[in-house]
C-alpha cells in the first residue's frame, strides 16, 4: 500500500457523494501530491509514531463532538425497581422541544435488552394521495438513562445540535439516551393518534404501570 497523504485523507473524510466531491477525486493526482504523509504505507519498516502524533504534525486535529455537546448529567434520580411484572413512570429529563411530551418508565423485567422505555406523543409528515399530510402518533422507544449501560456504538453523527450514535442494530441513540430504530419501522412500536402513555407502555412491554415518581 502506498503512503497516504493529507490531501487524499481529507478528500476521503469530507467525501459526501456530491458532484463536487467526485470532480475533486477525479482531478486528484497522487504523483503530484506533496502534502504531509499521514500513513507511511505497507513498505515502511521501523518504529511508527502514534497516529494522533502524525495527524497533529500534518495539521489535522481530531475533536470529540460528543464531549463538546455533552450536557450535564441529569440530576433526576432513577427510581427504584418496581415490583415484578410492573413498571414505574418517572420524569424524563428532555430538553429538546420536539421531545415533548415524553413519558419514561422503569421496568421490572428487561425488555429488548433494557430496563427503561419512553413513550412520546409526536406528529409526523406523510404523503397522502400525493399530498403531504400530518398525522398524530404515539411511539415507544428503548431508553438508556445517563449512567446506565448502553449498546456499543460504531459511529456518531451530528444533525443540527442533536448528536446521535449509530449502534450495531441499525438504530441510533441520541444524547438523551433514546434508542430510535432506523429503516424498517416494524421494530418501532407506534399507534395512531395520541393514546394513553401508561396503557401503551403496558400493552407493548407487558408490564403494568403501578406507580408514578414525579
Amino acid at each position: 500500500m502506498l503512503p497516504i497523504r493529507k490531501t487524499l485523507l481529507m478528500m476521503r473524510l469530507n467525501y459526501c457523494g456530491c458532484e463536487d466531491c467526485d470532480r475533486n477525486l477525479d482531478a486528484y493526482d497522487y504523483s503530484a501530491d506533496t502534502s504531509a504523509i499521514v500513513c507511511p504505507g505497507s513498505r515502511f519498516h521501523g518504529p511508527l509514531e502514534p497516529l494522533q502524533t502524525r495527524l497533529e504534525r500534518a495539521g489535522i486535529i481530531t475533536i470529540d463532538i460528543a464531549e463538546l455537546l455533552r450536557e450535564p448529567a441529569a440530576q433526576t434520580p432513577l427510581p427504584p425497581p418496581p415490583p415484578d411484572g410492573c413498571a414505574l413512570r418517572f420524569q424524563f429529563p428532555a430538553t429538546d422541544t420536539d421531545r415533548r411530551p415524553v413519558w419514561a418508565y422503569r421496568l421490572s423485567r428487561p425488555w429488548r435488552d433494557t430496563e427503561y422505555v419512553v413513550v412520546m406523543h409526536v406528529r409526523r409528515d406523510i404523503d397522502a394521495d400525493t399530498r403531504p399530510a400530518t398525522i398524530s402518533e404515539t411511539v415507544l422507544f428503548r431508553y438508556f438513562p445517563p449512567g446506565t449501560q448502553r449498546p456499543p456504538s460504531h459511529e456518531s453523527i451530528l444533525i443540527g445540535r442533536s448528536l446521535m450514535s449509530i449502534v450495531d442494530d441499525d438504530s441510533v441513540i441520541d444524547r438523551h439516551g433514546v434508542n430510535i430504530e432506523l429503516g424498517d419501522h416494524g421494530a418501532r412500536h407506534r399507534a395512531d393518534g395520541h393514546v394513553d402513555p401508561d396503557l401503551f407502555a403496558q400493552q407493548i412491554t407487558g408490564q403494568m404501570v403501578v406507580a408514578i415518581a414525579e
Side-chain angles (χ1 to χ4, degrees), residues 125-137:
D125 295 329
I126 63 171
D127 290 329
D129 299 327
T130 69
R131 299 192 310 274
T134 301
I135 61 173
S136 297
E137 287 186 324

Side-chain angles (χ1 to χ4, degrees), residues 5-6 26 48 51-52 72 129 132 142 146 162 180 183 188 191 199-200 204:
R5 295 183 177 273
K6 175 183 177 180
D26 291 340
L48 190 62
L51 176 60
Q52 188 65 30
D129 299 327
R142 288 174 288 169
S162 296
I180 304 175
R188 186 185 76 172
L199 294 179
F200 191 59
I204 301 303

Side-chain angles (χ1 to χ4, degrees), residues 80-102:
D84 186 48
C86 301
L88 176 67
R89 170 149 54 99
F90 64 100
Q91 183 179 359
F92 177 66
T95 58
D96 295 345
T97 56
D98 63 343
R99 282 289 160 85
R100 297 176 180 174
V102 183

Side-chain angles (χ1 to χ4, degrees), residues 63-71 96 99 150 153 155-166 172-180:
I63 299 175
D64 188 345
I65 297 296
E67 287 296 328
L68 290 178
L69 297 181
R70 193 179 305 280
E71 296 177 349
D96 295 345
R99 282 289 160 85
R150 302 186 181 189
S153 62
E155 181 183 356
S156 293
I157 57 176
L158 184 63
I159 302 178
R161 286 194 57 81
S162 296
L163 182 73
M164 296 184 173
S165 297
I166 307 293
V172 299
I173 296 181
D174 72 7
R175 76 174 76 178
H176 296 299
V178 178
N179 186 242
I180 304 175

